[in-house]
């Protein structure tokens, strides 16, 4: 028997998961990836490839190029008549994901993702924006607070440099003493901005 459809594929918007880890063994605790049982979860490809995955205990936060979603692990989302959602036990390893509102993603720069408490910060050079996600809440475009036009012009210039062969990195950090989220855009020169969460929640400009 000849299978003409046999071949290799690379699913950039999919997750492959293993069989359960066996922690009570004294030696080999590693598991195996058994493709026969269908060990794959595929997200909508129109939102681009998965660039970052974040463990949120009973779920996984999935950052695609143009979208963020949360997928429950061994649970399913049950919607009630009043519009509320609850998690129930499921035999599925990864359940049906729920999407955050807005076409916001990491846009090719997953290194920009930063977790601080119940907040996740990230950036998209495609949208020329910087975001703050509150776990269990929503996504806020924080680059529009204070210096929106400056960020737009800066990202436009940096995207032009990248199209000419210059690499663009978006590095992030958090100053817990001053309660500031810091983002640095690195191309030819390094430019940094601080988002002060205590001062009316605004970007304070170049540092």
């Amino acid at each position: 028997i000849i299978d003409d459809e046999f071949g290799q594929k690379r699913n950039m918007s999919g997750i492959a998961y293993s069989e359960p880890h066996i922690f009570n063994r004294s030696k080999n605790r590693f598991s195996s990836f058994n493709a026969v049982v269908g060990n794959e979860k595929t997200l909508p490809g129109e939102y681009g490839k998965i660039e970052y995955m974040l463990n949120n205990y009973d779920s996984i936060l999935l950052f695609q190029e143009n979208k963020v979603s949360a997928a429950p692990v061994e649970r399913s989302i049950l919607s009630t008549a009043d519009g509320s959602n609850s998690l129930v036990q499921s035999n599925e390893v990864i359940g049906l994901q729920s999407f955050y509102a807005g076409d916001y993603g990491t846009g090719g720069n997953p290194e920009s993702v930063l977790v601080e408490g119940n907040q996740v910060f990230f950036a998209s050079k495609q949208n020329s924006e910087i975001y703050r996600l509150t776990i269990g809440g929503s996504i806020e475009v924080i680059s529009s607070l204070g210096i929106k036009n400056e960020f737009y012009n800066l990202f436009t210039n940096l995207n032009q440099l990248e199209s000419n062969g210059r690499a663009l990195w978006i590095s992030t950090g958090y100053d817990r003493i001053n309660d500031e989220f810091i983002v640095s855009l690195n191309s030819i020169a390094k430019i940094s901005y601080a988002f002060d969460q205590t001062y009316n929640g605004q970007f304070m400009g170049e540092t």
Side-chain angles (χ1 to χ4, degrees):
I1 299 175
I2 300 176
D3 186 357
D4 294 332
E5 297 182 359
F6 177 83
Q8 184 179 17
K9 71 172 183 176
R10 189 174 184 184
N11 189 358
M12 303 299 289
S13 60
I15 306 169
Y17 47 84
S18 71
E19 295 177 341
H21 286 258
I22 304 174
F23 292 99
N24 59 0
R25 287 187 178 178
S26 59
K27 294 183 179 179
N28 186 7
R29 297 184 178 89
F30 295 107
S31 186
S32 62
F33 288 80
N34 186 358
V36 176
V37 298
N39 62 333
E40 189 174 280
K41 171 73 173 181
T42 299
L43 274 64
E46 61 264 30
Y47 297 131
K49 62 184 178 181
I50 298 173
E51 296 190 315
Y52 196 92
M53 294 191 299
L54 178 62
N55 178 17
N56 189 34
Y57 304 106
D58 60 358
S59 63
I60 307 173
L61 285 179
L62 302 165
F63 294 79
Q64 293 177 260
E65 291 177 275
N66 300 305
K67 200 70 171 175
V68 180
S69 60
V73 177
E74 294 186 336
R75 289 166 174 81
S76 294
I77 300 174
L78 178 65
S79 297
T80 60
D82 61 0
S84 61
N85 296 325
S86 60
L87 289 175
V88 295
Q89 197 73 25
S90 172
N91 292 327
E92 289 187 277
V93 176
I94 302 177
L96 182 65
Q97 71 275 8
S98 59
F99 292 96
Y100 284 86
D103 292 332
Y104 309 135
T106 46
N109 290 98
E111 75 279 2
S112 68
V113 178
L114 174 76
V115 181
E116 176 59 30
N118 70 334
Q119 301 177 116
V120 183
F121 298 89
F122 62 102
S124 171
K125 63 188 175 188
Q126 296 175 355
N127 295 339
S128 301
E129 293 175 333
I130 300 172
Y131 310 103
R132 176 175 59 188
L133 180 155
T134 303
I135 295 178
S138 59
I139 298 176
E140 182 183 7
V141 185
I142 60 174
S143 56
S144 63
L145 305 175
I147 49 176
K148 178 179 180 180
N149 291 335
E150 185 169 346
F151 267 117
Y152 178 81
N153 294 331
L154 181 61
F155 271 112
T156 299
N157 293 334
L158 291 175
N159 285 331
Q160 183 62 44
L161 289 173
E162 189 176 42
S163 67
N164 293 331
R166 299 279 187 177
L168 170 61
W169 296 274
I170 304 177
S171 305
T172 55
Y174 202 89
D175 183 349
R176 295 181 178 175
I177 296 177
N178 297 310
D179 202 17
E180 290 180 344
F181 165 68
I182 300 170
V183 56
S184 297
L185 308 177
N186 301 270
S187 184
I188 295 178
K190 180 179 178 181
I191 306 172
S192 299
Y193 294 87
F195 180 78
D196 192 336
Q197 300 213 91
T198 61
Y199 183 73
N200 296 325
Q202 289 188 345
F203 270 99
M204 303 304 294
E206 187 173 345
T207 61

